[in-house]
Amino acid sequence: MKASRIAAAGAVSGIAVLALSAPAFAHVSVQPEGTAAKGGYATVGFKVPNERDNASTTKLEINFPTDHPLASVMPQPVPGWKAEVTKSKLDKPLESHGKQLTEAVTKVTWTADGEGIEPGFFQKFPVSLGALPEDTDQLVFKAIQTYSNKEVVRWIEVPQEGQEEPETPAPVLELSAAEDDAHGASGAKAEDDAEAAAQNTAADSSAASDSAGDGSDTTARVLGTVGIVVGAAGVAYGVLAGRRRDTGASA
């Protein structure tokens, strides 16, 4: 009996721990599709779970970092949601592809056209962004989640290293080490591949031309030989026919 009571108490304690820890995992987060390298471009997805049993998420607002402004921010269309991009003036112009930018995207807001994210579901909101900064290891995106019952949850607390995760942490994008050429590596590789392909094509064409030339020479030689043989046969036949006529005339 005592053992069963202990087991029951342990089970209850475990459920309590899970109940207390569950909300810590069900928050707005951001993850890259592949890698998010410093100095490069990436597509990231903001994952939004619905934490309420009696309301749907109908609006999401993602605030972009102003200390590391991004020159390019493009949200991917999400069925059932309308995206609105907000730009603001920069205190310091941002250089991108040789151009000076005086404004950058500071907020993207998604508003549901229908039911939104219903209880028990989550939704991902993909965004293409860059160029990623090279002087930081992470980007913090403060998020505001609005429910159909007008409740607003602000995911804006910045997690601190060595400390427990805050109750409403902001989404944090971890940046990986810079690649050799984060934005142009694939382009450079494509150029190299194209050049190599062009060289191979030229070599193949030259070989084909040589082969065709050799074939033409061989054909010409064969035809020439045949012509000589036919000509010689014709001459021999003419001589023989002449002799036969001479012989007949003498008789």
Side-chain angles (χ1 to χ4, degrees):
M1 180 67 69
K2 184 178 294 184
S4 61
R5 289 179 179 177
I6 293 175
V12 172
S13 299
I15 294 173
V17 169
L18 289 175
L20 291 174
S21 60
F25 295 98
H27 56 259
V28 178
S29 59
V30 59
Q31 290 294 332
E33 296 181 3
T35 60
K38 298 178 181 179
Y41 288 72
T43 297
V44 303
F46 291 94
K47 182 179 179 180
V48 184
N50 190 82
E51 295 186 310
R52 301 294 178 263
D53 297 328
N54 58 352
S56 298
T57 297
T58 56
K59 185 177 180 180
L60 173 68
E61 179 181 310
I62 299 293
N63 293 277
F64 286 74
T66 56
D67 56 341
H68 293 97
L70 301 172
S72 175
V73 175
M74 293 184 293
Q76 177 178 317
V78 178
W81 294 80
K82 178 183 178 181
E84 181 182 356
V85 178
T86 302
K87 293 184 178 182
S88 300
K89 292 288 184 181
L90 296 174
D91 296 333
K92 181 180 179 181
L94 181 67
E95 184 173 349
S96 176
H97 301 293
K99 297 181 179 180
Q100 292 288 329
L101 302 180
T102 58
E103 62 179 11
V105 173
T106 52
K107 181 171 62 176
V108 177
T109 304
W110 288 269
T111 305
D113 292 334
E115 295 296 329
I117 309 173
E118 298 182 9
F121 292 87
F122 74 90
Q123 178 67 54
K124 279 188 176 182
F125 298 87
V127 179
S128 173
L129 45 80
L132 299 174
E134 300 181 16
D135 57 350
T136 184
D137 295 328
Q138 63 181 24
L139 290 176
V140 178
F141 300 87
K142 296 183 178 182
I144 300 177
Q145 183 178 11
T146 302
Y147 287 90
S148 56
N149 60 2
K150 307 303 181 183
E151 179 185 1
V152 177
V153 180
R154 301 178 182 276
W155 305 97
I156 60 175
E157 296 181 87
V158 181
Q160 301 296 327
E161 187 176 356
Q163 299 182 10
E164 293 184 0
E165 184 178 65
E167 184 177 353
T168 54
V172 177
L173 176 65
E174 300 293 339
L175 304 181
S176 60
E179 299 176 355
D180 293 338
D181 187 353
H183 181 56
S186 58
K189 185 178 184 302
E191 291 180 2
D192 292 342
D193 291 345
E195 183 178 355
Q199 292 176 353
N200 291 336
T201 301
D204 293 341
S205 298
S206 177
S209 178
D210 293 342
S211 177
D214 293 342
S216 299
D217 291 343
T218 301
T219 302
R221 290 169 185 169
V222 171
L223 292 176
T225 302
V226 172
I228 293 172
V229 172
V230 172
V235 171
Y237 179 78
V239 172
L240 181 60
R243 289 179 178 177
R244 287 179 179 177
R245 285 195 298 269
D246 292 342
T247 303
S250 298

